[in-house]
Amino acid sequence: MVTQGRTRQGRSLSRRTNKTESKRQYDSSLLAKAVGAVKARKLNPTTAAKEYGVPRQTIVDKLNAKYGKNTSGPSRMLLEEEETALVEYIKYMGQRGFPLNRQHLRSYVMEIINRSHRESLFNLEKGPSDKWCRTFINSHKELAEKTPQVRDRGRTRMSNKTVMDNFFKKYEETLDNLGLRTKPGLIYNCDETGFVDKQGNTRKVIGEKGRPCIQQQVHTIDHVTAHMCASGEGTMLPSFLIYQKSLPHRPYREDVPRSWMFGVSESGYMDTDLFQIWFKNIFLKYCSKERPVLLLLDNHDSHISIPVIDMARAERVEILAFPAHTTHLLQPLDVNIIGPMKEKMKSLATSMAIINTNLCISKANLPALLAYAIDQTCSPALVKSAFRKSGLIPLNKDAIDKSHLLPEDFQKSSDTSRNVTNSNKEAGDDKTCNSKTNSCSTCGASTLPHPIQAVRKLPPVLQSIFVTPALPSKATKKRRVVTEARVITGDEMLDQLRKKEKEEREKREGIEKRKKEREQKRKERENEKAEKGKKKDKSACKTADLDVEE
């Protein structure tokens, strides 16, 4: 009985397999030729089926367009020009720092359908489903869902082609003046990075379903700053650790190179005095003895002081500062050194905590962990790749990550604004356009030509739906931002610092002088008040004596 059962199962399985295989035993090209022959009236469906080996009913169904065009997915709801315009608008907004999410996508799709007055299978209240949104995104290879990277406005404003071109022009001039194009060992970059007790783990972990996955905190330290420096030849200089308020009370120099230095500041950050100490005792001591030397750093005020400039000029060290808010693109330590080093530290800290559950990364054992992470990650190859990705060594401005740069039309907004304003004035309508924001003063709509028109001609209805983001108002408080690279060791910077120092000294003297004047006036008023009080007492005494005599 068992053998017969197996035989029947085998027969039924073979029948199903043969039936499936017999469903389509022809090539799609043969089907196209058969349909073409019937349409040309060279053959009838029966003869074409026999000649090309295609089922007759399939040819008939194809002629009658029974199956029609494969319209599965989003294109069934949107016209081709609408879908193309929507994709271009998503890309346009993402490039300018305003990426759209699924809720935005649903809103725009429903707005397009409502204005076209077409019937739709969508829920009129909820809009397209998640499945529809996924299909729409997957059907366009240039789109993908991802977690956005939050960037401050300063970096967004400075990440443009003009700023990059100006920096590389200044950098090239500096290299030529110093003769360092072929001497990467004489080009250095320094920067700070901070460590706090809120170091989150970005790696996914394995846990039980239905229960929250909690990771025990490993770092229990105040803010600590590590000042690092690397050369274009791939070497790392000794690090300088800055603690907040006080050094660790327990031993903290174990398993740490003896060349490392430690300092203290009130906030745990770098300041002018500490940078002078680092420059004198670490950089000048451990950098190459060959001269001249180029040091690249950011434009922070703690790096700029008269004593540092005097020491640098005496030692033939040229200091070039990056433009503000551009270190994520131009500074090698930010581009490809500090990130891998911190990831290694997080991994080490987590692994050590699993082995020893009582272990915490404190102020005392942080230096040893940092030294091990630097040895493991900051290899000469990694350091050289960081300088290469920054376009510094070899000199190549096209090596930077251009995906972080704003489109050129954002840079030309001021010029376009002036042109639009002039045209409106000529037309006698000088109240409709705000020249500062390129927008209508009444409704806030942009007065610039629609950007997607350059990619695809848009109907007026779609232009009114795909609005461009409003440019930031310039009525906000102005801040001083250094938009160009600066040679810190130049005569101009030294004169500016001396002038600033003189102004600050005069300001302090003025404050002290006014304080003394106020104090003197206060004492004079008190003396006058005391004199008036004495006169009143005398007059009161005289009056009392007269009363007694009477």
Side-chain angles (χ1 to χ4, degrees), residues 167-168 171 175 329-330 332 335 385-400:
F167 165 75
F168 279 104
Y171 177 65
L175 290 182
L329 294 172
L330 301 174
V335 171
S385 69
F387 277 85
R388 184 175 61 254
K389 290 179 179 180
S390 303
L392 302 179
I393 301 175
L395 178 60
N396 180 18
K397 67 179 182 180
D398 295 327
I400 62 174

CSV table of all heavy atoms in Angstrom, one decimal, residues 167-168 171 175 329-330 332 335 385-400:
chain,number,residue,atom,x,y,z
A,167,PHE,N,39.4,78.0,-2.1
A,167,PHE,CA,40.4,77.4,-1.1
A,167,PHE,C,41.5,76.7,-1.9
A,167,PHE,O,42.7,76.9,-1.6
A,167,PHE,CB,39.7,76.4,-0.2
A,167,PHE,CG,40.7,75.5,0.5
A,167,PHE,CD1,41.4,75.9,1.5
A,167,PHE,CD2,40.9,74.2,0.0
A,167,PHE,CE1,42.4,75.1,2.2
A,167,PHE,CE2,41.8,73.4,0.6
A,167,PHE,CZ,42.6,73.8,1.7
A,168,PHE,N,41.2,75.9,-2.9
A,168,PHE,CA,42.3,75.2,-3.6
A,168,PHE,C,43.2,76.2,-4.4
A,168,PHE,O,44.4,75.9,-4.6
A,168,PHE,CB,41.6,74.2,-4.6
A,168,PHE,CG,41.2,72.9,-3.9
A,168,PHE,CD1,39.9,72.6,-3.6
A,168,PHE,CD2,42.2,72.0,-3.5
A,168,PHE,CE1,39.5,71.5,-2.9
A,168,PHE,CE2,41.8,70.8,-2.8
A,168,PHE,CZ,40.5,70.6,-2.6
A,171,TYR,N,45.4,77.3,-1.6
A,171,TYR,CA,46.3,76.2,-1.2
A,171,TYR,C,47.4,76.0,-2.2
A,171,TYR,O,48.6,75.7,-1.9
A,171,TYR,CB,45.4,75.0,-1.0
A,171,TYR,CG,46.2,73.7,-0.6
A,171,TYR,CD1,46.9,73.6,0.6
A,171,TYR,CD2,46.2,72.6,-1.5
A,171,TYR,CE1,47.6,72.5,0.9
A,171,TYR,CE2,46.9,71.5,-1.2
A,171,TYR,CZ,47.6,71.4,0.0
A,171,TYR,OH,48.3,70.3,0.4
A,175,LEU,N,51.5,76.2,-1.7
A,175,LEU,CA,52.4,75.1,-2.0
A,175,LEU,C,53.5,75.5,-2.9
A,175,LEU,O,54.7,75.2,-2.7
A,175,LEU,CB,51.6,73.9,-2.6
A,175,LEU,CG,50.7,73.1,-1.7
A,175,LEU,CD1,50.0,72.0,-2.5
A,175,LEU,CD2,51.4,72.5,-0.5
A,329,LEU,N,34.8,68.4,4.5
A,329,LEU,CA,35.2,68.1,3.1
A,329,LEU,C,36.7,68.3,2.9
A,329,LEU,O,37.3,67.5,2.1
A,329,LEU,CB,34.5,69.1,2.2
A,329,LEU,CG,33.0,69.0,2.0
A,329,LEU,CD1,32.4,70.1,1.2
A,329,LEU,CD2,32.6,67.7,1.4
A,330,LEU,N,37.4,69.2,3.6
A,330,LEU,CA,38.7,69.5,3.3
A,330,LEU,C,39.8,69.0,4.3
A,330,LEU,O,40.9,68.9,4.0
A,330,LEU,CB,38.9,71.1,3.2
A,330,LEU,CG,38.0,71.7,2.1
A,330,LEU,CD1,38.1,73.2,2.2
A,330,LEU,CD2,38.4,71.2,0.7
A,332,PRO,N,41.7,66.4,6.4
A,332,PRO,CA,41.9,64.9,6.4
A,332,PRO,C,41.5,64.2,7.7
A,332,PRO,O,40.9,63.1,7.6
A,332,PRO,CB,43.4,64.8,6.2
A,332,PRO,CG,43.8,66.1,5.4
A,332,PRO,CD,42.9,67.1,6.0
A,335,VAL,N,37.8,63.8,7.5
A,335,VAL,CA,37.3,63.1,6.4
A,335,VAL,C,37.4,61.6,6.6
A,335,VAL,O,36.5,60.8,6.4
A,335,VAL,CB,38.1,63.5,5.1
A,335,VAL,CG1,37.7,62.6,3.9
A,335,VAL,CG2,37.7,64.9,4.7
A,385,SER,N,45.3,58.1,2.6
A,385,SER,CA,44.0,58.1,1.9
A,385,SER,C,43.2,59.3,2.3
A,385,SER,O,42.4,59.8,1.5
A,385,SER,CB,43.2,56.8,2.2
A,385,SER,OG,42.8,56.7,3.5
A,386,ALA,N,43.3,59.7,3.6
A,386,ALA,CA,42.5,60.8,4.1
A,386,ALA,C,43.0,62.1,3.4
A,386,ALA,O,42.2,63.0,3.0
A,386,ALA,CB,42.7,61.0,5.6
A,387,PHE,N,44.3,62.3,3.3
A,387,PHE,CA,44.8,63.5,2.5
A,387,PHE,C,44.4,63.4,1.1
A,387,PHE,O,44.2,64.4,0.4
A,387,PHE,CB,46.3,63.5,2.7
A,387,PHE,CG,46.8,64.2,4.0
A,387,PHE,CD1,46.9,63.4,5.1
A,387,PHE,CD2,47.1,65.5,4.0
A,387,PHE,CE1,47.4,64.0,6.3
A,387,PHE,CE2,47.6,66.1,5.2
A,387,PHE,CZ,47.7,65.4,6.3
A,388,ARG,N,44.4,62.2,0.5
A,388,ARG,CA,44.0,62.0,-0.9
A,388,ARG,C,42.5,62.4,-1.1
A,388,ARG,O,42.2,63.1,-2.1
A,388,ARG,CB,44.3,60.6,-1.4
A,388,ARG,CG,44.0,60.4,-2.9
A,388,ARG,CD,44.5,59.0,-3.3
A,388,ARG,NE,43.8,58.0,-2.6
A,388,ARG,CZ,44.3,57.2,-1.7
A,388,ARG,NH1,45.5,57.4,-1.3
A,388,ARG,NH2,43.6,56.2,-1.1
A,389,LYS,N,41.6,61.9,-0.2
A,389,LYS,CA,40.2,62.2,-0.4
A,389,LYS,C,39.9,63.6,-0.1
A,389,LYS,O,38.9,64.1,-0.7
A,389,LYS,CB,39.4,61.3,0.6
A,389,LYS,CG,39.4,59.8,0.3
A,389,LYS,CD,38.6,59.1,1.4
A,389,LYS,CE,38.6,57.6,1.0
A,389,LYS,NZ,37.8,56.8,2.1
A,390,SER,N,40.7,64.3,0.6
A,390,SER,CA,40.5,65.8,0.8
A,390,SER,C,41.1,66.6,-0.4
A,390,SER,O,40.9,67.8,-0.4
A,390,SER,CB,41.2,66.2,2.1
A,390,SER,OG,40.7,65.5,3.2
A,391,GLY,N,41.7,66.0,-1.3
A,391,GLY,CA,42.3,66.7,-2.4
A,391,GLY,C,43.5,67.4,-2.2
A,391,GLY,O,44.0,68.3,-3.0
A,392,LEU,N,44.2,67.2,-1.0
A,392,LEU,CA,45.4,67.9,-0.6
A,392,LEU,C,46.7,67.3,-1.1
A,392,LEU,O,47.6,68.0,-1.6
A,392,LEU,CB,45.4,68.0,0.9
A,392,LEU,CG,44.2,68.7,1.6
A,392,LEU,CD1,44.3,68.7,3.1
A,392,LEU,CD2,44.0,70.1,1.0
A,393,ILE,N,46.8,66.0,-1.0
A,393,ILE,CA,48.0,65.3,-1.5
A,393,ILE,C,47.6,64.0,-2.2
A,393,ILE,O,47.0,63.1,-1.6
A,393,ILE,CB,48.9,64.9,-0.3
A,393,ILE,CG1,49.3,66.2,0.5
A,393,ILE,CG2,50.2,64.2,-0.8
A,393,ILE,CD1,50.1,65.9,1.7
A,394,PRO,N,47.8,63.9,-3.5
A,394,PRO,CA,48.3,65.0,-4.4
A,394,PRO,C,47.2,66.1,-4.6
A,394,PRO,O,46.0,65.8,-4.3
A,394,PRO,CB,48.6,64.3,-5.7
A,394,PRO,CG,47.7,63.1,-5.7
A,394,PRO,CD,47.5,62.7,-4.2
A,395,LEU,N,47.6,67.2,-5.0
A,395,LEU,CA,46.6,68.3,-5.2
A,395,LEU,C,45.6,68.0,-6.3
A,395,LEU,O,46.0,67.8,-7.4
A,395,LEU,CB,47.4,69.6,-5.6
A,395,LEU,CG,46.6,70.9,-5.8
A,395,LEU,CD1,45.7,71.2,-4.6
A,395,LEU,CD2,47.4,72.0,-6.3
A,396,ASN,N,44.4,67.9,-5.9
A,396,ASN,CA,43.3,67.5,-6.8
A,396,ASN,C,42.0,67.9,-6.3
A,396,ASN,O,41.4,67.2,-5.4
A,396,ASN,CB,43.3,66.0,-7.1
A,396,ASN,CG,42.2,65.5,-8.1
A,396,ASN,OD1,41.7,66.4,-8.8
A,396,ASN,ND2,41.9,64.3,-8.1
A,397,LYS,N,41.5,69.1,-6.7
A,397,LYS,CA,40.2,69.6,-6.1
A,397,LYS,C,39.0,68.7,-6.5
A,397,LYS,O,38.0,68.8,-5.9
A,397,LYS,CB,40.0,71.0,-6.6
A,397,LYS,CG,39.8,71.2,-8.1
A,397,LYS,CD,39.5,72.7,-8.4
A,397,LYS,CE,39.3,72.9,-9.9
A,397,LYS,NZ,39.0,74.3,-10.2
A,398,ASP,N,39.1,67.9,-7.5
A,398,ASP,CA,38.0,67.0,-7.9
A,398,ASP,C,37.9,65.8,-7.1
A,398,ASP,O,37.0,65.0,-7.2
A,398,ASP,CB,38.2,66.6,-9.4
A,398,ASP,CG,38.1,67.7,-10.3
A,398,ASP,OD1,37.3,68.7,-10.0
A,398,ASP,OD2,38.8,67.7,-11.4
A,399,ALA,N,38.9,65.6,-6.1
A,399,ALA,CA,38.8,64.4,-5.3
A,399,ALA,C,37.9,64.5,-4.1
A,399,ALA,O,37.5,63.5,-3.5
A,399,ALA,CB,40.2,64.1,-4.7
A,400,ILE,N,37.4,65.7,-3.8
A,400,ILE,CA,36.5,65.8,-2.7
A,400,ILE,C,35.1,65.2,-3.0
A,400,ILE,O,34.8,65.1,-4.2
A,400,ILE,CB,36.3,67.3,-2.2
A,400,ILE,CG1,35.8,68.1,-3.4
A,400,ILE,CG2,37.7,67.9,-1.8
A,400,ILE,CD1,35.4,69.6,-3.0
